[in-house]
Amino acid sequence: MSNEAPEIRRGLAGVVADYTAISKVNPETNSLLYQGYPVQELARYCTFEEVAYLLWNGELPSTEELRRFSIREKALRHIDRGLIDLVMSMPLSCHPMDVLRSAVSYIGAQDPESYTKDSDHIRRTSLELMAKLPTVVALDIRRRRGEGYLEPDTKMGFAENFLYMVFGKEEGSPANNRADIEAFDKSLILYAEHSFNASTFTARVITSTMSDTYSAVTGAIGALKGPLHGGANEAVMHNMLEIGDPAKAEEWVKNKLANKELVMGFGHRVYKKGDSRVPTMEAAFREVAERHGGEKWVEMYDIMAKTMYDNTSIHIMPNLDFPSGPAYHLLGFEVEFFTPIFVMARITGWTAHIIEQNENNSLIRPLSAYNGPDQRSVPAKSID
Ligand code: COA
């Protein structure tokens, strides 16, 4: 046996674990492709529904394919009485991600074929989760506000229906404003997929054991909840609210850096020269801010980004969570719902990876290097 110390890549940093045809992240050219298409172009020319179809089928839908896909998605939006009761019974003190995780388990428990490896069945499951999770999130938002449940609309597009279920159609609701609907839709497209990130990899690990889609998705939700991953968009807004005044932003960031603390919404494991999704989301955020009186947040955003860039030796730049946090705040969402919104989008990427992993499976099981005590015997008195 070799005495050489094994090469350990902590956090699997830089490790290429497998092939994927779903998306390509290129940190050198600062680009992200979904099935070959630049994400900026998809955000500009397509709807979230078209992107979901692309991720699951490898091609953008024709007009007729999109029409049929949308009819099926709309028909699956309703949730049954049992799921409504489950959401209503969850403690108000729990994080909305806990509600979502439980909702996926509930939906899975009703699927007698949950263990299938049939890609068409998993595509149907994926569409059902994409259609139902916004209904669950909207119900959870409204019950915490003390507002009644608004049933999904089966005529509106995906983003508009969600905004309607959360905010209704009263004056001032973003569901009435085409530009707000489009900004929100863009954020979903940008959040939809990002290769082997922590939650997607979690879904693939669970799938690799031949477990079911719902288990893989609940595991992914758990991974996404963490503040180093999806939870960062919430942390960003908590920080911005804590800073309160753009005049205090520079000093706040400098203090964090001096104390060697992380500034959420900055940095990325793969992108080191800027996150490819940021320019599109930043533009959407600036537009939302213009419509909703958010100049203060834009000013704070710019100061924080400049201070981070100027005061870190590696010029740390914003990631997608930095512009999406204040954009969601300005649209009227409570901060703890930012990560559940991320789930509503990423469910498409997760399930695309579940299908891909299933179609060419190999159990994911790395090795570890042991650094505990040498072999020893259990003391005699414990054996007595
Ligand atoms: N704030 C302050 N310092 C940061 C930072 C941040 N957001 N991101 C990275 N750094 C620092 C690291 O602490 C490290 O400093 P050191 O060399 O003194 O130890 C240095 O920059 C290099 O970091 P790096 O190794 O390139 O980062 P990573 O790949 O280990 O981590 C993240 C990537 C995403 C986990 C990290 O940037 C982070 O925690 N960001 C905040 C959380 C966040 O926004 N997550 C969402 C990701 S999409």
Side-chain angles (χ1 to χ4, degrees):
M1 220 166 89
S2 159
N3 282 335
E4 259 179 50
E7 188 199 358
I8 294 174
R9 303 270 192 97
R10 295 201 62 226
L12 301 182
V15 172
V16 179
D18 206 341
Y19 286 101
T20 179
I22 300 165
S23 68
K24 179 178 177 184
V25 182
N26 190 339
E28 292 313 314
T29 53
N30 207 2
S31 76
L32 169 62
L33 309 177
Y34 293 175
Q35 299 278 4
Y37 294 109
V39 72
Q40 297 87 339
E41 286 184 24
L42 292 169
R44 188 159 181 194
Y45 301 116
C46 301
T47 60
F48 177 62
E49 291 93 313
E50 287 171 283
V51 170
Y53 185 101
L54 169 72
L55 292 171
W56 292 331
N57 298 289
E59 294 296 337
L60 283 166
S62 66
T63 310
E64 181 52 22
E65 282 165 339
L66 180 63
R67 194 185 66 79
R68 278 190 269 125
F69 180 78
S70 291
I71 288 173
R72 288 173 57 221
E73 185 269 313
K74 286 169 177 161
L76 287 165
R77 287 177 184 171
H78 281 98
I79 55 175
D80 66 20
R81 190 70 245 169
L83 184 48
I84 294 175
D85 290 345
L86 173 77
V87 173
M88 295 304 285
S89 71
M90 297 285 284
L92 290 172
S93 54
C94 79
H95 194 281
M97 288 290 273
D98 300 346
V99 175
L100 212 46
R101 201 184 51 215
S102 305
V104 172
S105 287
Y106 176 92
I107 297 168
Q110 291 181 316
D111 180 355
E113 290 177 65
S114 62
Y115 269 94
T116 183
K117 300 293 153 212
D118 174 51
S119 295
D120 285 337
H121 185 90
I122 299 173
R123 278 190 197 93
R124 279 198 296 281
T125 299
S126 309
L127 186 65
E128 181 165 17
L129 290 174
M130 171 185 160
K132 284 188 170 38
L133 294 188
T135 314
V136 171
V137 175
L139 170 63
D140 195 19
I141 291 178
R142 289 183 72 89
R143 75 163 182 132
R144 287 172 197 252
R145 291 184 191 152
E147 295 171 354
Y149 173 48
L150 279 181
E151 295 223 355
D153 183 282
T154 51
K155 292 206 175 60
M156 296 177 190
F158 185 89
E160 180 181 1
N161 169 58
F162 177 65
L163 293 174
Y164 158 71
M165 287 192 294
V166 173
F167 300 108
K169 273 284 185 185
E170 287 81 42
E171 214 189 313
S173 164
N176 295 333
N177 186 317
R178 196 41 51 196
D180 282 345
I181 296 168
E182 280 172 14
F184 185 71
D185 202 56
K186 278 191 196 351
S187 79
L188 297 177
I189 293 172
L190 297 171
Y191 268 131
E193 162 58 14
H194 213 211
S195 76
F196 282 16
N197 57 83
S199 57
T200 301
F201 196 61
T202 303
R204 290 191 78 125
V205 170
I206 295 173
T207 303
S208 83
T209 69
M210 294 184 73
S211 185
D212 63 289
T213 302
Y214 305 93
S215 299
V217 170
T218 50
I221 290 175
L224 192 74
K225 187 180 174 191
L228 292 191
H229 190 11
N233 58 9
E234 295 181 23
V236 164
M237 201 59 224
H238 283 305
N239 289 345
M240 290 178 110
L241 289 165
E242 182 194 315
I243 297 168
D245 180 352
K248 296 186 182 148
E250 183 176 344
E251 195 192 339
W252 187 93
V253 171
K254 284 183 173 168
N255 271 338
K256 284 270 172 193
L257 293 176
N259 293 331
K260 297 247 166 264
E261 286 177 60
L262 288 172
V263 180
M264 305 315 256
F266 284 87
H268 200 273
R269 173 54 65 80
V270 181
Y271 297 116
K272 299 299 177 193
K273 297 177 191 162
D275 180 331
S276 59
R277 304 162 296 178
V278 164
T280 306
M281 193 62 225
E282 198 180 286
F285 159 52
R286 288 184 198 281
E287 283 170 26
V288 168
E290 239 177 78
R291 284 193 297 281
H292 293 269
E295 300 77 11
K296 161 178 149 177
W297 302 116
V298 171
E299 200 186 330
M300 190 183 292
Y301 178 98
D302 289 337
I303 293 170
M304 290 177 78
K306 182 170 182 334
T307 311
M308 278 298 281
Y309 189 88
D310 290 347
N311 291 275
T312 49
S313 56
I314 51 169
H315 299 308
I316 301 175
M317 292 193 232
N319 57 53
L320 175 59
D321 294 319
F322 193 49
S324 69
Y328 288 158
H329 174 72
L330 285 165
L331 287 174
F333 290 106
E334 288 80 357
V335 176
E336 69 269 27
F337 281 93
F338 293 2
T339 320
I341 292 170
F342 190 160
V343 172
M344 284 166 35
R346 188 57 64 87
I347 186 73
T348 56
W350 287 338
T351 45
H353 281 272
I354 290 169
I355 293 168
E356 187 175 63
Q357 181 71 35
N358 262 323
E359 286 182 347
N360 188 14
N361 191 40
S362 171
L363 177 70
I364 299 171
R365 202 297 188 193
L367 296 176
S368 55
Y370 179 69
N371 64 357
D374 286 341
Q375 182 171 340
R376 49 189 168 161
S377 298
V378 175
K381 83 173 177 3
S382 310
I383 299 174
D384 287 347

